[in-house]
Amino acid sequence: MTEIKEKPAAAKPATSPWLKMTLELGPLILFFFANARPKLFAPYAHLVLPAHLLVGENAGLFTATAVLIPAVLIALAVSYAQIRRLPVMPLVTAILVVIFGALTIYFQDPRFIKMKPTILYAVFGLALLGGLYLKKPILEVVLDNAMPLTEEGWRILTLRWGLFFLALAILNEVIWRTQSNNVWVAFKFPGVVILIFLFTLAQVPLMMRHELKEDKAE
């Protein structure tokens, strides 16, 4: 009998680490600078915002919101062009940015864009904890099996990230309700990026303890 050889699974297209970082941080960097220097973005802002929103203490935040919406959509489109699929977290982020950014501009109320991170972090946190409760490996799927961990390792890591995102949601609420626009923007970027980086580093010992050896992974 003739043996039928199975075709190897096609490798998923990959995005270079530098491009991936640019797509993730680029919109946040633009948001930060548009808030700090709204006059630099005035030619664009005048096309999409009423004139009275470009003056006063919230002018920077309205300008930054108007810049952030197209920035996240462009980043998402470039990401799709590279890997031919929409990553879960950037997709959810883009949807919330468009919704809450549009509400901010339509109602001329900066509280909407400030609440967006709270909703985003709460959604991520509850999704991870809910998936853990239902024994659905959401974190493993989101990370695209990037790390070969044991089942217990994924469970602990998912619990930690779920609680971390809920803590970020609470922290965002406290900061935007008690601090100035500039303090909140600084918390959003680079504050949250730094916190996520430090939290990720803190998980390295856990991942090393629960790393799935190559022979077992096979």
Side-chain angles (χ1 to χ4, degrees):
M1 296 179 64
T2 303
E3 290 186 4
I4 300 176
K5 296 182 179 180
E6 294 183 1
K7 294 182 179 179
K12 294 180 179 179
T15 305
S16 71
W18 287 108
L19 178 58
K20 186 173 184 294
M21 183 180 298
T22 300
L23 294 177
E24 291 178 353
L25 298 184
L28 292 176
I29 295 173
L30 286 174
F31 184 85
F32 177 83
F33 280 106
N35 175 76
R37 298 287 186 271
K39 291 183 179 179
L40 293 177
F41 298 83
Y44 163 74
H46 280 291
L47 297 176
V48 296
L49 295 175
H52 67 276
L53 294 184
L54 301 177
V55 294
E57 62 177 349
N58 291 322
L61 200 53
F62 284 123
T63 301
T65 300
V67 169
L68 181 63
I69 294 174
V72 295
L73 293 177
I74 292 171
L76 195 64
V78 173
S79 180
Y80 179 78
Q82 288 289 313
I83 62 176
R84 294 301 173 185
R85 58 189 175 87
L86 294 174
V88 176
M89 294 182 70
L91 175 61
V92 174
T93 300
I95 291 173
L96 291 178
V97 164
V98 171
I99 292 174
F100 283 88
L103 290 173
T104 296
I105 295 172
Y106 181 79
F107 290 106
Q108 302 177 12
D109 189 341
R111 290 179 296 179
F112 286 105
I113 198 63
K114 292 180 178 180
M115 288 188 291
K116 189 274 298 179
T118 300
I119 304 299
L120 179 66
Y121 302 143
V123 167
F124 286 158
L126 293 175
L128 289 175
L129 296 178
L132 187 63
Y133 177 77
L134 297 173
K135 298 183 179 179
K136 301 291 185 181
I138 294 179
L139 184 62
E140 189 175 355
V141 173
V142 169
L143 296 181
D144 203 15
N145 298 306
M147 299 172 293
L149 300 180
T150 63
E151 184 177 342
E152 182 183 4
W154 279 115
R155 181 180 61 80
I156 297 173
L157 193 63
T158 299
L159 176 62
R160 290 184 179 183
W161 274 104
L163 294 176
F164 176 71
F165 277 123
L166 292 182
L168 283 181
I170 295 172
L171 187 57
N172 183 73
E173 280 296 293
V174 171
I175 290 178
W176 84 258
R177 292 179 184 275
T178 62
Q179 305 299 318
S180 67
N181 288 344
N182 289 337
V183 171
W184 175 75
V185 171
F187 163 72
K188 181 177 173 63
F189 181 83
V192 171
V193 174
I194 293 173
L195 288 176
I196 291 176
F197 175 73
L198 294 176
F199 183 79
T200 302
L201 285 183
Q203 308 315 305
V204 172
L206 169 70
M207 292 186 289
M208 293 181 65
R209 286 197 305 271
H210 293 276
E211 181 181 8
L212 194 62
K213 302 304 180 183
E214 186 175 349
D215 55 341
K216 292 182 179 180
E218 291 176 354

PDB file of all heavy atoms in Angstrom, residues 5-19:
ATOM      1  N   LYS A   5       1.410  10.648   3.014  1.00  0.00           N
ATOM      2  CA  LYS A   5       2.101  11.529   3.945  1.00  0.00           C
ATOM      3  C   LYS A   5       1.262  12.767   4.223  1.00  0.00           C
ATOM      4  O   LYS A   5       0.704  13.364   3.312  1.00  0.00           O
ATOM      5  CB  LYS A   5       3.452  11.950   3.355  1.00  0.00           C
ATOM      6  CG  LYS A   5       4.406  10.767   3.172  1.00  0.00           C
ATOM      7  CD  LYS A   5       5.735  11.272   2.636  1.00  0.00           C
ATOM      8  CE  LYS A   5       6.716  10.120   2.467  1.00  0.00           C
ATOM      9  NZ  LYS A   5       8.022  10.596   1.939  1.00  0.00           N
ATOM     10  N   GLU A   6       1.203  13.101   5.508  1.00  0.00           N
ATOM     11  CA  GLU A   6       0.460  14.300   5.887  1.00  0.00           C
ATOM     12  C   GLU A   6       1.269  15.539   5.534  1.00  0.00           C
ATOM     13  O   GLU A   6       2.481  15.592   5.730  1.00  0.00           O
ATOM     14  CB  GLU A   6       0.164  14.290   7.391  1.00  0.00           C
ATOM     15  CG  GLU A   6      -0.774  13.176   7.803  1.00  0.00           C
ATOM     16  CD  GLU A   6      -1.083  13.267   9.291  1.00  0.00           C
ATOM     17  OE1 GLU A   6      -0.564  14.199   9.928  1.00  0.00           O
ATOM     18  OE2 GLU A   6      -1.823  12.422   9.773  1.00  0.00           O
ATOM     19  N   LYS A   7       0.580  16.516   5.002  1.00  0.00           N
ATOM     20  CA  LYS A   7       1.240  17.775   4.683  1.00  0.00           C
ATOM     21  C   LYS A   7       1.491  18.552   5.964  1.00  0.00           C
ATOM     22  O   LYS A   7       0.617  18.645   6.824  1.00  0.00           O
ATOM     23  CB  LYS A   7       0.361  18.619   3.745  1.00  0.00           C
ATOM     24  CG  LYS A   7       0.176  17.998   2.373  1.00  0.00           C
ATOM     25  CD  LYS A   7      -0.655  18.920   1.507  1.00  0.00           C
ATOM     26  CE  LYS A   7      -0.832  18.324   0.113  1.00  0.00           C
ATOM     27  NZ  LYS A   7      -1.652  19.208  -0.742  1.00  0.00           N
ATOM     28  N   PRO A   8       2.681  19.066   6.122  1.00  0.00           N
ATOM     29  CA  PRO A   8       2.951  19.860   7.320  1.00  0.00           C
ATOM     30  C   PRO A   8       2.082  21.104   7.352  1.00  0.00           C
ATOM     31  O   PRO A   8       1.783  21.692   6.313  1.00  0.00           O
ATOM     32  CB  PRO A   8       4.442  20.237   7.172  1.00  0.00           C
ATOM     33  CG  PRO A   8       4.720  20.140   5.709  1.00  0.00           C
ATOM     34  CD  PRO A   8       3.835  19.030   5.208  1.00  0.00           C
ATOM     35  N   ALA A   9       1.675  21.474   8.567  1.00  0.00           N
ATOM     36  CA  ALA A   9       0.824  22.662   8.720  1.00  0.00           C
ATOM     37  C   ALA A   9       1.585  23.901   8.266  1.00  0.00           C
ATOM     38  O   ALA A   9       2.770  24.062   8.522  1.00  0.00           O
ATOM     39  CB  ALA A   9       0.404  22.812  10.186  1.00  0.00           C
ATOM     40  N   ALA A  10       0.881  24.737   7.562  1.00  0.00           N
ATOM     41  CA  ALA A  10       1.504  25.968   7.067  1.00  0.00           C
ATOM     42  C   ALA A  10       1.856  26.875   8.233  1.00  0.00           C
ATOM     43  O   ALA A  10       1.075  27.051   9.157  1.00  0.00           O
ATOM     44  CB  ALA A  10       0.550  26.689   6.108  1.00  0.00           C
ATOM     45  N   ALA A  11       3.050  27.415   8.180  1.00  0.00           N
ATOM     46  CA  ALA A  11       3.482  28.307   9.254  1.00  0.00           C
ATOM     47  C   ALA A  11       2.687  29.601   9.198  1.00  0.00           C
ATOM     48  O   ALA A  11       2.397  30.132   8.129  1.00  0.00           O
ATOM     49  CB  ALA A  11       4.977  28.603   9.101  1.00  0.00           C
ATOM     50  N   LYS A  12       2.351  30.097  10.395  1.00  0.00           N
ATOM     51  CA  LYS A  12       1.608  31.350  10.458  1.00  0.00           C
ATOM     52  C   LYS A  12       2.528  32.509  10.137  1.00  0.00           C
ATOM     53  O   LYS A  12       3.673  32.544  10.594  1.00  0.00           O
ATOM     54  CB  LYS A  12       1.012  31.533  11.862  1.00  0.00           C
ATOM     55  CG  LYS A  12      -0.047  30.508  12.216  1.00  0.00           C
ATOM     56  CD  LYS A  12      -0.580  30.771  13.611  1.00  0.00           C
ATOM     57  CE  LYS A  12      -1.671  29.774  13.985  1.00  0.00           C
ATOM     58  NZ  LYS A  12      -2.176  29.999  15.359  1.00  0.00           N
ATOM     59  N   PRO A  13       2.053  33.472   9.348  1.00  0.00           N
ATOM     60  CA  PRO A  13       2.876  34.653   9.077  1.00  0.00           C
ATOM     61  C   PRO A  13       3.215  35.355  10.382  1.00  0.00           C
ATOM     62  O   PRO A  13       2.387  35.444  11.283  1.00  0.00           O
ATOM     63  CB  PRO A  13       1.975  35.525   8.190  1.00  0.00           C
ATOM     64  CG  PRO A  13       0.926  34.607   7.671  1.00  0.00           C
ATOM     65  CD  PRO A  13       0.747  33.535   8.690  1.00  0.00           C
ATOM     66  N   ALA A  14       4.440  35.838  10.467  1.00  0.00           N
ATOM     67  CA  ALA A  14       4.878  36.492  11.700  1.00  0.00           C
ATOM     68  C   ALA A  14       5.239  37.939  11.429  1.00  0.00           C
ATOM     69  O   ALA A  14       5.689  38.292  10.340  1.00  0.00           O
ATOM     70  CB  ALA A  14       6.076  35.762  12.297  1.00  0.00           C
ATOM     71  N   THR A  15       5.015  38.777  12.453  1.00  0.00           N
ATOM     72  CA  THR A  15       5.397  40.177  12.379  1.00  0.00           C
ATOM     73  C   THR A  15       6.717  40.350  13.102  1.00  0.00           C
ATOM     74  O   THR A  15       6.923  39.763  14.161  1.00  0.00           O
ATOM     75  CB  THR A  15       4.325  41.065  13.038  1.00  0.00           C
ATOM     76  OG1 THR A  15       3.061  40.794  12.435  1.00  0.00           O
ATOM     77  CG2 THR A  15       4.655  42.532  12.863  1.00  0.00           C
ATOM     78  N   SER A  16       7.621  41.139  12.540  1.00  0.00           N
ATOM     79  CA  SER A  16       8.904  41.365  13.197  1.00  0.00           C
ATOM     80  C   SER A  16       8.663  42.029  14.547  1.00  0.00           C
ATOM     81  O   SER A  16       7.724  42.819  14.705  1.00  0.00           O
ATOM     82  CB  SER A  16       9.790  42.258  12.334  1.00  0.00           C
ATOM     83  OG  SER A  16       9.300  43.586  12.333  1.00  0.00           O
ATOM     84  N   PRO A  17       9.506  41.698  15.541  1.00  0.00           N
ATOM     85  CA  PRO A  17       9.319  42.276  16.883  1.00  0.00           C
ATOM     86  C   PRO A  17       9.284  43.800  16.888  1.00  0.00           C
ATOM     87  O   PRO A  17       8.496  44.409  17.628  1.00  0.00           O
ATOM     88  CB  PRO A  17      10.526  41.734  17.660  1.00  0.00           C
ATOM     89  CG  PRO A  17      10.903  40.477  16.941  1.00  0.00           C
ATOM     90  CD  PRO A  17      10.605  40.737  15.500  1.00  0.00           C
ATOM     91  N   TRP A  18      10.143  44.423  16.069  1.00  0.00           N
ATOM     92  CA  TRP A  18      10.187  45.888  16.045  1.00  0.00           C
ATOM     93  C   TRP A  18       8.914  46.477  15.451  1.00  0.00           C
ATOM     94  O   TRP A  18       8.393  47.483  15.959  1.00  0.00           O
ATOM     95  CB  TRP A  18      11.408  46.369  15.252  1.00  0.00           C
ATOM     96  CG  TRP A  18      12.695  46.167  15.981  1.00  0.00           C
ATOM     97  CD1 TRP A  18      13.674  45.256  15.704  1.00  0.00           C
ATOM     98  CD2 TRP A  18      13.136  46.885  17.145  1.00  0.00           C
ATOM     99  NE1 TRP A  18      14.696  45.352  16.618  1.00  0.00           N
ATOM    100  CE2 TRP A  18      14.401  46.345  17.507  1.00  0.00           C
ATOM    101  CE3 TRP A  18      12.594  47.916  17.905  1.00  0.00           C
ATOM    102  CZ2 TRP A  18      15.123  46.817  18.604  1.00  0.00           C
ATOM    103  CZ3 TRP A  18      13.317  48.382  19.001  1.00  0.00           C
ATOM    104  CH2 TRP A  18      14.555  47.842  19.341  1.00  0.00           C
ATOM    105  N   LEU A  19       8.399  45.851  14.404  1.00  0.00           N
ATOM    106  CA  LEU A  19       7.153  46.338  13.815  1.00  0.00           C
ATOM    107  C   LEU A  19       5.998  46.124  14.782  1.00  0.00           C
ATOM    108  O   LEU A  19       5.134  46.994  14.930  1.00  0.00           O
ATOM    109  CB  LEU A  19       6.877  45.624  12.496  1.00  0.00           C
ATOM    110  CG  LEU A  19       5.566  46.010  11.791  1.00  0.00           C
ATOM    111  CD1 LEU A  19       5.532  47.503  11.498  1.00  0.00           C
ATOM    112  CD2 LEU A  19       5.381  45.204  10.509  1.00  0.00           C
TER     113      LEU A  19
END
